[in-house]
Amino acid sequence: MSATNEKVLGHFLKYKRLSADPSVFGITRGPHRRVTGLRREEVAERAHVSTDWYARIEQGRLGANPSPEVLAALCRVLQLSPAETRYVFNLVGQRPLERPVSGVSAALRDLMLAQLPRPAYLMDRQLTIVAWNPAFAAVYGNLTGQSALQRNAVWRIFHDPFLQTAVDDWREVAHLQTARFRQIYSSDADSAFLYRVFTTIKNNPVFQEAWDRLAVAEPDEMRFLLTFSENSDLYLVETTLQTPTGEYYLAVQNAGDTPTLMTLTQLGENI
C-alpha cells in the first residue's frame, strides 16, 4: 500500500471511529466521556487487535498490509456500510470477503428493542453478545464494560457464576452451547478469538464431556428454567434467528408459561 493510501485510510478510519454509535456495543455516553464516538482501545478490543497496532493505522504508518479478516473486523466495529467496506479494501489493494461485515443496523437494533418486555439480544457470528435490550439487562445484568470474551455466550455459560447457579438444568444448557460452539468454530477455525474462548473452557469437565460427544447444533431454540428471585422462576423459550446477511443472530426469550409472562410484563412496566 502506498504512503498516500496509508494516510487516506488512517484519516477515513479515524473519522468513522469518531462518528460511530457507541450504544451499538452497549457503551453509554456518561458525563465524563469526551469522545463522541468510540475510543481507539474500544475499537481495538472489539476487532481483536492491539491498541498500538490500530493507532498506527490511524496515524498512516501501518507498514505491512493487514489480513482481510482483520480489515473485515475493523469495518464491522466501525459500522461501515458495504460501500465503505469496499472502499477500505480498495485502499489496501485487497478484495473484500465474500460477505462484507457491517455494523448492527438501526432497523435491527430497533427490532431487538421492540421485543420488550421479553429479554432479547444480538450476537455476532462468533456468538458474542453485541447489543441487548433493557429486559435482558434487568434479568442478566448490564454487560456494559465487559470484554468481548466476557460477553461471548459460550464463555458465559461456563464462567458466569449467575448462570451456573440460576439456570436450573445448567449442564444441559452447557452441552447445547458446546454443540453450538463446535459448529461456529468449524466455520472459522483460524479465528484467534474463538481459539481463546476454547482455551478458557477446554479444561471444564462438563465442556469436555459435551465436546467428546461430537454433538453439533445451530443456534435455534432453547428452553430453560431460570431462578430470577427468591419467589420467582422464569420458564423461558429462547428463539434465535440469523439475519439474512449471516452477520448476526437475534435471540428472543419468550415466556414459556403464564407466571413467567406475568413476571416479564411487570418487569417491562418498571423499565
Side-chain angles (χ1 to χ4, degrees):
M1 180 168 53
S2 69
T4 299
N5 278 9
E6 280 191 343
K7 293 184 181 299
V8 172
L9 176 65
H11 178 75
F12 181 74
L13 293 183
K14 181 178 180 179
Y15 171 79
K16 297 304 295 186
R17 173 174 64 83
L18 294 177
S19 59
D21 182 5
S23 66
V24 169
F25 300 101
I27 301 172
T28 56
R29 291 191 178 96
H32 302 295
R33 185 180 178 87
R34 291 180 293 178
V35 177
T36 56
L38 293 170
R39 298 188 177 100
R40 283 176 174 171
E41 57 267 27
E42 291 169 343
V43 173
E45 178 189 0
R46 286 159 178 80
H48 312 304
V49 298
S50 72
T51 302
D52 179 70
W53 184 85
Y54 177 73
R56 292 202 305 271
I57 294 182
E58 286 197 356
Q59 293 164 0
R61 51 187 187 92
L62 175 59
N65 285 353
S67 69
E69 291 76 18
V70 169
L71 274 183
L74 288 175
C75 292
R76 170 182 58 80
V77 174
L78 295 174
Q79 305 157 38
L80 303 191
S81 68
E84 291 170 333
T85 298
R86 287 192 294 272
Y87 174 69
V88 166
F89 274 81
N90 288 341
L91 288 175
V92 181
Q94 297 182 13
R95 296 187 61 179
L97 300 176
E98 291 185 2
R99 294 189 300 182
V101 182
S102 59
V104 177
S105 67
L108 183 56
R109 188 164 63 253
D110 289 345
L111 178 61
M112 175 195 68
L113 294 173
Q115 302 308 311
L116 287 172
R118 297 171 292 184
Y121 59 98
L122 291 169
M123 296 183 291
D124 64 15
R125 296 174 188 167
Q126 298 179 326
L127 302 184
T128 297
I129 300 173
V130 296
W132 52 92
N133 69 4
F136 177 92
V139 174
Y140 298 97
N142 196 326
L143 306 187
T144 301
Q146 294 189 6
S147 67
L149 181 66
Q150 293 171 315
R151 288 181 284 105
N152 183 268
V154 181
W155 185 95
R156 281 169 53 80
I157 198 64
F158 288 102
H159 288 282
D160 189 325
F162 170 74
L163 293 179
Q164 291 180 333
T165 57
V167 176
D168 183 63
D169 198 347
W170 174 83
R171 180 181 294 269
E172 181 178 342
V173 174
H175 277 214
L176 178 56
Q177 291 289 51
T178 300
R180 291 176 172 181
F181 180 72
R182 181 184 292 278
Q183 168 64 14
I184 298 299
Y185 202 6
S186 69
S187 66
D188 195 6
D190 294 329
S191 168
F193 177 73
L194 289 179
Y195 179 72
R196 185 182 176 196
V197 174
F198 177 76
T199 58
T200 63
I201 61 178
K202 66 178 182 179
N203 294 325
N204 184 291
V206 176
F207 174 80
Q208 292 175 347
E209 177 184 273
W211 192 254
D212 290 343
R213 291 184 178 183
L214 301 181
V216 180
E218 293 279 2
D220 44 30
E221 184 174 286
M222 177 168 60
R223 297 170 180 264
F224 58 95
L225 188 67
L226 183 82
T227 301
F228 180 57
S229 65
E230 291 184 2
N231 303 315
S232 177
D233 290 336
L234 299 178
Y235 176 46
L236 298 168
V237 181
E238 180 176 285
T239 301
T240 303
L241 303 173
Q242 191 171 26
T243 60
T245 61
E247 295 176 32
Y248 296 101
Y249 294 97
L250 171 62
V252 181
Q253 296 181 344
N254 295 285
D257 57 21
T258 301
T260 298
L261 178 60
M262 294 175 62
T263 300
L264 291 181
T265 301
Q266 183 178 11
L267 186 67
E269 293 173 351
N270 296 327
I271 292 176

